[in-house]
Amino acid sequence: MKIAVVGTGYVGLVSGTCFAETGNHVTCIDIDAQKVEKLASGIITIYEPGLEKIFIRNLNEKRLDFTTHLEAGIKDAQIIFLALPTPPGEDGSADLKYILGVADQLGRILNGYKVIVDKSTVPVGTAEKVKTTIATNYKGEFDVVSNPEFLREGVAVDDFMKPDRVVIGTNSEKARKIMGELYAPYVRQGNPVIFMDEKSAELTKYAANSFLATKISFMNEIAQLCEKLGADVDMVRRGIGSDERIGKRFLFPGIGYGGSCFPKDVQALIKSAEQAQYDFKILKAVETVNENQKLHLLPKIKNYFQGKLAGKHFALWGLAFKPNTDDIREAPALYIIKALLAEGAIITAFDPEAMHNVQQQIGNAIQYAKDQYDALQNADALIIATEWNEFRTPDFDEMIKRMNHQTIFDGRNLFEVKTMHDKGFYYESIGRP
């Protein structure tokens, strides 16, 4: 098939590349000429494990190309994916200006039947708005479909190529047939393509992310209660996670969730509920718990240093909101940095992928280390904010040599409490004695 993908951000670039990988011809369109030039010359603009290899292969085999020209890019396409930003507005609702702006342009340039697909995470009713916007200027036949993405940063290529499910919202038999053919190569193992109406598909995306965010915040509340009662959250997690109705995933306590999806989607669903005159109490609590959890380590740190953080030197391992990405949107590490700097602390950070993004955002307010051990030099304490695999089995003897004090505040529970105490570390984590 010939496909156009409008938007070359995270979702657009992963989707376009993975569609090309199964033999489709994909044209990716973006207004950022500098980004398009980089991509067309083989320079990938995001960090995602496994993506670069198939990106280069499909670029070389002429199945993937890039342009800034919308009309030329969509001219021969059977399907047009809209993978555009939906940032939160001032009131928390998803801002649809980019999607509706492109829809307006499409209405002026469509040259025959096409399936226009909302791939971005959008509020319920967006497909109708897109259809109305296009129809204002285009009187020919077309369909608008909702096809939400369920990509996890760090494993997005696997998620796309072998999805748990594909959700397609359409009431058009013609669009249903085309979308079914497009996704057939990705569900050969029998995972379902679930067809539904557009509104249900739009809500499914928000419901999925909000439920996962709820599990995280619930477990962080349990961790806080464990600290009050002297219980061990790891034992509780294993006890409840073995129940197949609950499952083992998203039960690991920590310093909150971040990224481009969960915070924005929870906020947007709360706002959508308000607009429908429904008070979504659980999600409001999820959001509040998460905001507080990002700074859960701060009282522990202040208590240890008797409230005197000015001049103290902290090593920080991890800046990305999660491992295997360079995404720092709503990253708990940034909240910790801001709070410590306000207390007059000095911070030296290391992250395998996200340091450049942090430096672009906050400049040289902190120091950046060449590796995880360099960050520890003369540190009064180590704070762990992201659970990168390379942090899980460090050289503890090297750590002891480098640090002023053998003190660790672990926001991701990477190490066993007894092991750390046996090695002579003062060690505090989340929800464990």
Side-chain angles (χ1 to χ4, degrees):
M1 289 187 179
K2 291 186 177 179
I3 298 168
V5 178
V6 185
T8 60
Y10 186 84
V11 172
L13 191 56
V14 171
S15 299
T17 303
C18 290
F19 279 133
E21 180 69 1
T22 56
N24 299 295
H25 183 274
V26 181
T27 299
C28 295
I29 306 155
D30 202 292
I31 60 172
D32 186 337
Q34 188 175 15
K35 183 194 282 189
V36 166
E37 186 179 345
K38 282 184 176 179
L39 291 166
S41 63
I43 301 171
I44 201 162
T45 52
I46 62 172
Y47 174 76
E48 177 61 36
L51 181 62
E52 186 171 15
K53 180 180 177 181
I54 61 172
F55 169 80
I56 295 296
R57 176 164 63 237
N58 284 282
L59 197 66
N60 290 339
E61 295 181 7
K62 310 298 184 185
R63 288 195 297 264
L64 186 63
D65 58 51
F66 298 87
T67 182
T68 57
H69 301 291
L70 182 63
E71 186 169 6
I74 64 103
K75 182 180 178 183
D76 297 323
Q78 299 163 268
I79 309 172
I80 303 169
F81 283 88
L82 305 183
L84 295 153
T86 53
E90 290 184 9
D91 63 352
S93 61
D95 189 340
L96 297 177
K97 64 182 177 185
Y98 300 110
I99 286 176
L100 295 182
V102 170
D104 180 66
Q105 292 179 64
L106 289 175
R108 301 173 192 276
I109 62 177
L110 285 181
N111 59 349
Y113 176 81
K114 298 183 190 296
V115 179
I116 291 93
V117 184
D118 285 333
K119 195 67 176 169
S120 308
T121 301
V122 293
V124 174
T126 300
E128 284 183 13
K129 291 180 180 179
V130 170
K131 188 172 185 177
T132 299
T133 302
I134 293 172
T136 301
N137 293 298
Y138 180 68
K139 305 308 177 185
E141 186 186 8
F142 68 97
D143 282 308
V144 177
V145 169
S146 176
N147 173 218
E149 54 85 15
F150 298 97
L151 305 178
R152 295 169 295 161
E153 292 190 45
V155 287
V157 173
D158 279 348
D159 282 347
F160 198 103
M161 301 303 293
K162 295 176 284 187
D164 291 334
R165 79 294 201 194
V166 175
V167 171
I168 297 172
T170 182
N171 290 312
S172 162
E173 281 302 318
K174 189 172 183 179
R176 175 178 175 142
K177 182 174 183 294
I178 291 170
M179 295 298 290
E181 289 175 3
L182 174 66
Y183 277 108
Y186 303 92
V187 292
R188 294 175 62 212
Q189 293 181 333
N191 288 349
V193 177
I194 305 171
F195 289 96
M196 58 184 73
D197 62 278
E198 295 93 331
K199 288 183 178 180
S200 296
E202 290 163 341
L203 185 54
T204 295
K205 168 66 177 185
Y206 280 117
N209 277 356
S210 295
F211 182 76
L212 296 175
T214 300
K215 287 185 76 173
I216 293 169
S217 281
F218 175 81
M219 209 60 205
N220 282 334
E221 288 273 77
I222 292 293
Q224 295 221 31
L225 186 58
C226 283
E227 291 180 1
K228 300 286 187 185
L229 299 177
D232 187 333
V233 73
D234 281 348
M235 299 297 104
V236 176
R237 172 179 59 78
R238 290 172 62 188
I240 67 173
S242 58
D243 186 328
E244 65 180 16
R245 296 170 300 174
I246 296 171
K248 298 175 182 178
R249 300 174 68 183
F250 290 87
L251 293 182
F252 289 85
I255 48 175
Y257 59 77
S260 61
C261 293
F262 286 8
K264 177 173 68 72
D265 292 355
V266 167
Q267 196 177 52
L269 188 52
I270 290 170
K271 189 62 184 178
S272 290
E274 287 176 358
Q275 291 169 347
Q277 298 184 317
Y278 181 74
D279 184 13
F280 212 139
K281 299 181 183 68
I282 288 177
L283 277 193
K284 288 180 178 178
V286 166
E287 190 174 46
T288 299
V289 168
N290 191 62
E291 285 303 299
N292 294 336
Q293 195 70 18
K294 289 175 180 178
L295 292 176
H296 182 63
L297 288 178
L298 199 62
K300 298 172 184 275
I301 295 168
K302 280 188 170 182
N303 182 62
Y304 178 81
F305 288 104
Q306 300 179 327
K308 299 172 183 176
L309 301 185
K312 291 292 187 292
H313 186 186
F314 292 93
L316 179 63
W317 281 3
L319 294 168
F321 85 93
K322 62 179 280 189
N324 297 320
T325 181
D326 60 356
D327 194 340
I328 60 169
R329 285 173 285 186
E330 296 296 319
L334 297 181
Y335 288 76
I336 294 170
I337 287 170
K338 184 178 179 181
L340 290 178
L341 291 178
E343 297 283 343
I346 300 163
I347 302 169
T348 302
F350 174 74
D351 186 285
E353 294 295 337
M355 289 195 292
H356 176 69
N357 289 342
V358 170
Q359 193 163 21
Q360 282 191 318
Q361 183 167 316
I362 67 172
N364 294 321
I366 64 173
Q367 300 166 23
Y368 302 92
K370 64 183 180 183
D371 59 44
Q372 67 197 78
Y373 299 107
D374 183 44
L376 298 172
Q377 197 66 42
N378 298 320
D380 295 305
L382 166 64
I383 300 168
I384 301 174
T386 313
E387 62 275 33
W388 286 91
N389 279 337
E390 62 201 75
F391 299 160
R392 292 183 181 275
T393 53
D395 184 336
F396 290 109
D397 291 335
E398 184 66 22
M399 293 173 69
I400 291 168
K401 276 191 226 173
R402 301 261 190 154
M403 299 176 73
N404 288 340
H405 305 286
Q406 295 169 223
T407 305
I408 299 176
F409 297 95
D410 185 354
R412 299 300 179 185
N413 289 6
L414 293 192
F415 310 130
E416 293 295 329
V417 175
K418 184 177 184 306
T419 300
M420 299 310 292
H421 288 168
D422 289 346
K423 290 181 179 295
F425 283 89
Y426 177 85
Y427 179 73
E428 288 209 44
S429 54
I430 308 292
R432 303 189 293 184

